[in-house]
């Protein structure tokens, strides 16, 4: 119930924003129905362009990496992005929903409008696993931004063969789950008439592999607070916190072996992560604070009932849920399967791993808010170098260090994929 | 014991940094012993200059206010600061310990080297009371930075009458308690030969008043973790957390009336805040996490013993203190009393409130690290507008809105005070 309400509120807020600024209504006038075929964007042309640009893109990523900016403070990164997009000839809007940047690339042929989203912010010190001295690009957003700029640079000179419109959305403040909301409220989807949205995220898979997520994605999050009364309220609070924590079906990984097991489990159809519940519950005085993530998100109601049931065994306990849950990111199945086919065609049959779980169970993504509105895909770009420790490819670890060969692979696949989607006769 | 160790480590790290960059050894060659007198910087000249600049300074503060930057991301603010200092004719170093800026103003007459510190970062969303959507200047650092720039602009044209050297230290990342350490490690005190350091901080006192803190300041912080065992470890953890929390002598204010009481209590000699302990203790499973602040900081040992004693009644409990406490900020008495006299002379007898407590008991300040090395003062600049709610003058509340008349008062008093300190024949 809360979920529905939250989405309605969001949609109402979005509908209230204006339209018609410079970057608005991109491609709206173009008739749909352009055909993909020999005369469209050829993957060979994309690959040749990527080969030419790859070194430059790696240098660009290193520059972004050296200048990490916390959520909401992506001033310099946004400046680099806008400069690169303009140099490639795109129509660019800056300062969208904070430091957001939107670049519009119009193909010469009629077609659909498809968005590609990259996030720009670095990980704040407190969100680095074990804590860190300063913000750092330990979630791969520097790679995501570079891949997106690479796609823009590759497709721009091919626009005579490109159908429809590609909208490049560079989002601030992903780590605080606030940037997507700000961009949506600024009308980024409506103004450009976006019909689909796609994204890549660095993940702990071998470089050269992509992990597709049809039907899965990432969990949302919900919070509860229970207040106890009676002579041993603090003891009851401690016990209740432990009982609620024991509802969890998956524990935070503590060792590299735990991480490896989690990655393997996520690839097992109907495996241990097909449904899950991750919980954190703490007692302070007579109060228990709970924060949890689950999959599928229909389980929110069930988990809330479980928390109420456990609390009910303490007379006088009161339970409250202070806010609607943050929505899960659910990737539509048909889009994910279609992307898997594109990836197999482009980089080979072995290049595609399929996840059968929302992964990792302990993280959220505000890409969820876009996928609540339009279909699309969210795919993990393997960044683990051969023989490298798993933590070098697992976001938020202090030694996170993606294999940069992933950048060229990301650009090749996404440029081809977006050209395919803008030229699709219709969704399906 | 931990405290001593921590300070030794810090000092060793500092000693290891180099010297001799452009902004180093300022005023070192100048002989001490310049005399303050009729031919020094006259308060009347300062006041006239402030009257001329006040509107411009308020506009500058509003510009900084509109561009809040999180700790470690003060790029734009630092740019404004460097530009203003250079325009005033100071020698400026940028990029010191992150986005730190150091401006050196050399008087024509011989004298001492005295630093003035302003912090530049905004409050991150999570540190806004009740949470906030984005970083915002809700701790008055925009005012602090403006006051410091005002002092530089006022003293620069008076340098023919100025003795010694004023070092303006613009510090990043105060909210994360990491900026002072970074500046000290970069040699900001040693390289310029700083003999004293001073600062103002916005506080919940009527505009026109200053709250001096001789012998007091702000508490540091210490953390503990207790792990319990046995069949009812979670219940024991809940009870132990509550018992440890009950050691507290002061509770977090919940209402405006609580805030008013806290402010009043801090002004009572030997009052309820002359010694205090503020505690947060939570239980998670079989573990209790404790974080506490106390005054005086000699109580750390006592509180640690209390925690051990309470834990000892649970067989098998293990207690650990993962790190040395963060030091308290202790303001030397003679300097504070001397400043109080200067303030009474400059703005009137009623303008000075004296605090008899580390205030507020729930906050820390990395200005502590400077005062561990050189003497100085840390004074609250009253920013509460007549009739305004207390939360508009209490840092980190979302409606914090300092009365801008405080800016001119801050500049007048600090310009005169720094001129007095650089021309002092000797400390004392």
């Amino acid at each position: 119930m809360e979920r529905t309400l939250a989405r309605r509120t969001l949609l109402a807020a979005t509908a209230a924003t204006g339209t018609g600024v410079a970057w608005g209504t991109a491609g709206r006038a173009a008739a749909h129905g352009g055909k993909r075929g020999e005369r469209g964007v050829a993957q060979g042309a994309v690959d040749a362009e990527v080969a030419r640009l790859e070194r430059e893109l790696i240098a660009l990523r290193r520059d972004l990496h050296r200048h990490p900016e916390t959520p909401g403070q992506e001033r310099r990164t946004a400046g680099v992005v806008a400069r690169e997009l303009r140099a490639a000839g795109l129509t660019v809007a800056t300062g969208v929903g904070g430091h957001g940047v939107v670049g519009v690339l119009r193909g010469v042929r009629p077609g659909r409008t498809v968005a590609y989203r990259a996030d720009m912010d670095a990980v704040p010190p407190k969100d680095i696993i074990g804590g860190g001295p300063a913000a750092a690009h330990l979630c791969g957003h520097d790679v995501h931004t570079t891949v997106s700029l690479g796609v823009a640079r590759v497709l721009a000179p091919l626009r005579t063969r490109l159908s429809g419109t590609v909208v490049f959305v560079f989002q601030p403040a992903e780590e605080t789950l606030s940037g997507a909301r700000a961009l949506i409220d600024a009308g980024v989807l409506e103004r450009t008439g976006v019909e689909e949205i796609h994204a890549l995220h660095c993940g702990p898979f071998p470089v050269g592999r992509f992990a597709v997520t049809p039907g899965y994605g990432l969990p949302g999050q919900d919070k509860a607070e229970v207040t106890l009364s009676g002579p041993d309220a603090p003891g009851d609070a401690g016990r209740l916190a432990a009982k609620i924590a024991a509802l969890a079906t998956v524990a935070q990984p503590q060792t590299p072996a735990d991480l490896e097991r989690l990655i393997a489990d996520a690839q097992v159809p109907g495996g241990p992560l097909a449904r899950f519940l991750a919980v954190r519950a703490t007692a302070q005085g007579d109060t228990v604070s709970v924060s949890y993530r689950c999959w599928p998100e229909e389980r929110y109601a069930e988990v809330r009932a479980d928390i109420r049931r456990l609390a009910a065994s303490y007379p006088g306990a009161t339970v409250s849920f202070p806010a609607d849950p943050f929505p899960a990111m659910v990737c539509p199945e048909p889009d994910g399967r279609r992307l898997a086919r594109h990836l197999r065609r482009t980089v080979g049959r072995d290049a595609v791993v399929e996840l059968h779980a929302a992964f990792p169970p302990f993280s959220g993504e505000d890409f969820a808010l876009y996928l609540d509105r339009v279909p699309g895909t969210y795919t993990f770009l393997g960044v683990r170098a051969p023989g490298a420790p798993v933590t070098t490819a697992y976001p938020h670890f202090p030694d996170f260090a993606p294999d940069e060969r992933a950048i060229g692979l990301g650009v090749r696949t996404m440029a081809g994929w977006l050209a395919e989607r803008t030229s699709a006769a219709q969704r399906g």
Side-chain angles (χ1 to χ4, degrees), chain A:
Chain A
M1 196 184 74
E2 298 80 5
R3 169 70 181 280
T4 312
L5 250 176
R7 299 202 176 184
R8 275 208 202 112
T9 313
L10 271 173
L11 288 167
T14 306
T17 64
T19 56
V21 297
W23 51 282
T25 64
R28 271 251 163 91
H32 286 192
K35 286 272 178 280
R36 172 167 56 90
E38 286 165 29
R39 289 159 61 190
V41 172
Q43 187 66 44
V46 165
D47 293 353
E49 194 65 15
V50 173
R52 207 177 59 78
L53 287 177
E54 194 166 8
R55 282 174 64 118
E56 212 177 308
L57 291 175
I58 288 173
L60 178 62
R61 181 259 162 173
R62 291 182 187 175
D63 173 69
L64 297 175
H65 192 79
R66 275 193 303 272
H67 298 92
E69 295 175 303
T70 50
Q73 303 286 333
E74 308 84 351
R75 191 182 308 271
R76 182 185 183 279
T77 307
V80 171
V81 165
R83 185 191 71 208
E84 291 283 323
L85 292 176
R86 287 197 182 103
L90 275 69
T91 306
V92 177
T94 58
V96 184
H99 289 299
V101 181
V102 179
V104 176
L105 176 67
R106 292 182 179 81
V108 166
R109 304 170 179 211
R112 301 168 66 247
T113 299
V114 175
Y116 185 74
R117 178 269 213 164
D119 37 16
M120 301 188 290
D121 53 327
V123 179
K126 69 173 180 62
D127 294 338
I128 297 170
I129 292 170
H137 269 302
L138 298 175
C139 197
H141 298 192
D142 50 343
V143 170
H144 308 165
T145 294
T146 303
V147 166
S148 186
L149 289 173
V151 173
R153 290 188 59 179
V154 163
L155 289 181
L158 300 173
R159 74 175 68 186
T160 53
R161 293 181 166 274
L162 181 69
S163 303
T165 299
V166 182
V167 178
F168 293 90
V169 176
F170 291 86
Q171 182 196 305
E174 188 280 325
E175 293 293 343
T176 49
L177 300 181
S178 55
R181 171 76 67 103
L183 287 182
I184 290 168
D185 286 353
V188 78
L189 298 179
E190 282 83 354
R191 289 189 189 189
T192 50
V194 165
E195 295 165 76
E196 291 182 14
I197 190 162
H198 302 275
L200 286 183
H201 198 293
C202 293
F205 305 94
V207 63
R209 299 250 168 101
F210 293 79
V212 296
T213 58
Y216 292 93
L218 278 162
Q221 187 170 39
D222 190 24
K223 294 182 180 185
E225 216 167 271
V226 187
T227 307
L228 295 151
S229 60
D232 188 26
D236 288 346
R239 279 185 292 265
L240 177 59
K243 281 183 202 164
I244 292 172
L247 292 171
T249 65
V250 56
Q252 272 279 4
Q254 302 294 329
T255 65
D258 292 348
L259 290 172
E260 303 275 16
R261 194 170 317 114
L262 205 63
I263 296 163
D265 284 350
Q267 297 172 48
V268 180
L273 294 179
R275 290 171 61 83
F276 67 78
L277 174 59
V279 183
R280 184 176 188 277
T282 59
Q284 183 175 13
D286 57 2
T287 303
V288 178
S289 300
V290 185
S291 141
Y292 70 92
R293 298 180 186 276
C294 61
W295 190 271
E297 68 174 341
E298 285 69 39
R299 285 185 76 182
Y300 282 136
E302 188 186 307
V303 178
R304 286 186 169 199
D306 284 345
I307 292 170
R308 285 188 203 280
R309 179 179 51 76
L310 289 172
S313 63
Y314 298 88
T318 59
V319 183
S320 69
F321 299 94
D324 295 332
F326 191 88
M329 181 181 85
V330 186
C331 300
E333 286 212 48
D335 305 74
R337 304 227 171 278
R338 209 175 290 122
L339 173 58
R341 286 194 295 274
H342 168 80
L343 291 169
R344 288 197 188 95
R345 250 192 339 259
T346 315
V347 276
R349 283 212 72 74
D350 293 346
V352 180
V353 169
E354 185 169 339
L355 298 189
H356 299 274
F359 174 85
F362 314 99
S363 305
E365 239 289 1
D366 65 1
F367 194 72
L369 302 180
Y370 304 110
L371 289 185
D372 270 1
R373 286 159 181 78
V374 291
T377 63
Y378 182 91
T379 302
F380 288 104
L381 173 68
V383 294
R384 186 173 180 180
V390 63
T391 48
T392 63
Y394 202 98
H396 289 226
F397 273 91
D399 58 341
F400 181 77
D403 188 319
E404 288 173 328
R405 286 173 294 179
I407 293 171
L409 285 161
V411 178
R412 279 179 58 202
T413 53
M414 287 298 112
W417 170 240
L418 293 170
E420 179 178 323
R421 295 311 303 154
T422 53
S423 67
Q426 56 184 29
R427 225 179 90 65

